[in-house]
Amino acid sequence: MNLKRRQFLFLSSFSAIGAGFFGWTFRQNHQTADITDLTTAIAANPAKKDLLLRFVSVADTGTGAKGQYAVAGAMNTYHKQNPYDLVVLAGDNIYNNGEIEKIGAVFERPYQALLKQGVKFQACLGNHDIRTENGDPQVKYAGFNMKGRRYYTFSRGSVQFFALDTNSNADWKNQLPWLEKELSLSKAPWKVVFGHHPIYSSGHYGVNQSFIKIFTPLFQKHGVQLYINGHDHSYERTRAINGTTYLVTGAGAGIRPVRRSEWTEHSAEKLSFASYEVYKDRIEVSAIATNNRVFDKGIIQLKSA
């Protein structure tokens, strides 16, 4: 059946979780999102000289509703113009309670065109994902490429990625020593950490002081240039803070208000995803909205400190 004819339930609100969590609603995007049958072929951009890796990130996606399909459509259009084969999926992959039986509606169908092209999604767990069986079915789900691990690392060329479980019930006793060990052993010039919860954010949840104390010394010590997260349903890019740029890409299906802080380079309430083009000396970041337009561009230097 053509995706235009499918009717998707719009999740109007989410139940509270934890202190200070308030319900929120998605703002509907009124564009039609048919991501599988593009009638007009889009010419691929010429290969960029010295480009080492291109990947994208998105989070808070798993609704199966209009907003998710609009962002997925933009991701597909961007893929046709600028090929990539890696998506960092930073949690809340299945709303509302992480039920794996919804995986077709909230992952396999929205990203069908990308999955058919061999694009690999590397996921971590969000707070909604652990509501059912503590997220174990997602950890085991092949399409999320977690391979049974709640925190893990993988490499793509000169970039090493570190996926974290940032939930309150995570195995912090073992996860933090693991992270420090893996960072210390890494020979990769580029180190990218991702998890669901923000460290620096001007959105609904704001700055996480506990995470600042836990993570920022590790990031500075071991030269982590980028931390990617969701949870706040907005886009925000910070300046380099002690050598690390913090990037919120939680507007993968719905949006909430976001402000600016003294360390904010750009923030926006736009359904969107982020693209990263990795070079030897820099990462070029682009934020892309559902109208396929770039609304923020930034550069992360190899030596940001």
Side-chain angles (χ1 to χ4, degrees), residues 11-38:
L11 301 182
S12 59
S13 64
F14 293 97
S15 56
I17 180 170
F21 183 92
F22 297 98
W24 58 278
T25 57
F26 290 114
R27 298 182 185 178
Q28 295 187 13
N29 184 291
H30 297 286
Q31 297 180 353
T32 301
D34 185 342
I35 65 171
T36 56
D37 296 315
L38 295 179

Side-chain angles (χ1 to χ4, degrees), residues 159-200:
V159 186
Q160 187 168 354
F161 295 84
F162 305 82
L164 301 180
D165 178 1
T166 57
N167 287 293
S168 59
N169 69 343
D171 180 14
W172 293 105
K173 181 180 178 181
N174 292 308
Q175 182 174 211
L176 289 176
W178 169 87
L179 177 61
E180 177 146 34
K181 179 181 178 182
E182 291 296 330
L183 286 172
S184 68
L185 292 174
S186 176
K187 303 299 182 184
W190 289 105
K191 300 177 183 68
V192 177
V193 179
F194 65 97
H196 181 63
H197 295 81
I199 299 177
Y200 286 92

Side-chain angles (χ1 to χ4, degrees), residues 89 107-108 115 120-123 140-146:
L89 191 62
F107 178 72
E108 293 172 351
L115 292 168
K120 192 173 185 178
F121 287 71
Q122 296 280 171
K140 298 172 184 175
Y141 172 63
F144 287 162
N145 293 292
M146 300 173 74

Side-chain angles (χ1 to χ4, degrees), residues 250-298:
I255 53 175
R256 287 199 196 103
V258 62
R259 303 175 300 279
R260 288 183 61 86
S261 302
E262 60 181 357
W263 29 258
T264 304
E265 287 287 351
H266 192 91
S267 62
E269 302 165 20
K270 295 177 183 287
L271 288 169
S272 57
F273 68 98
S275 168
Y276 310 82
E277 293 188 329
V278 182
Y279 296 87
K280 185 177 180 180
D281 62 339
R282 70 195 185 282
I283 296 177
E284 296 182 2
V285 181
S286 300
I288 302 166
T290 53
N291 62 2
N292 302 311
R293 294 183 179 179
V294 174
F295 63 87
D296 176 49
K297 289 186 74 71

Side-chain angles (χ1 to χ4, degrees), residues 54-56 75-76 78-79 82-87 114 119:
R54 181 185 292 119
F55 68 98
V56 308
M75 290 168 64
N76 190 51
Y78 182 76
H79 179 268
N82 303 276
Y84 59 88
D85 64 359
L86 172 62
V87 177
L114 294 174
V119 176

Side-chain angles (χ1 to χ4, degrees), residues 13 17 31 39 50 73 77 90 97 133 135 199 209 223 250 266 279 299:
S13 64
I17 180 170
Q31 297 180 353
T39 56
D50 301 326
T77 298
N97 297 307
E133 299 181 53
I199 299 177
Q209 293 293 346
H266 192 91
Y279 296 87
I299 293 178

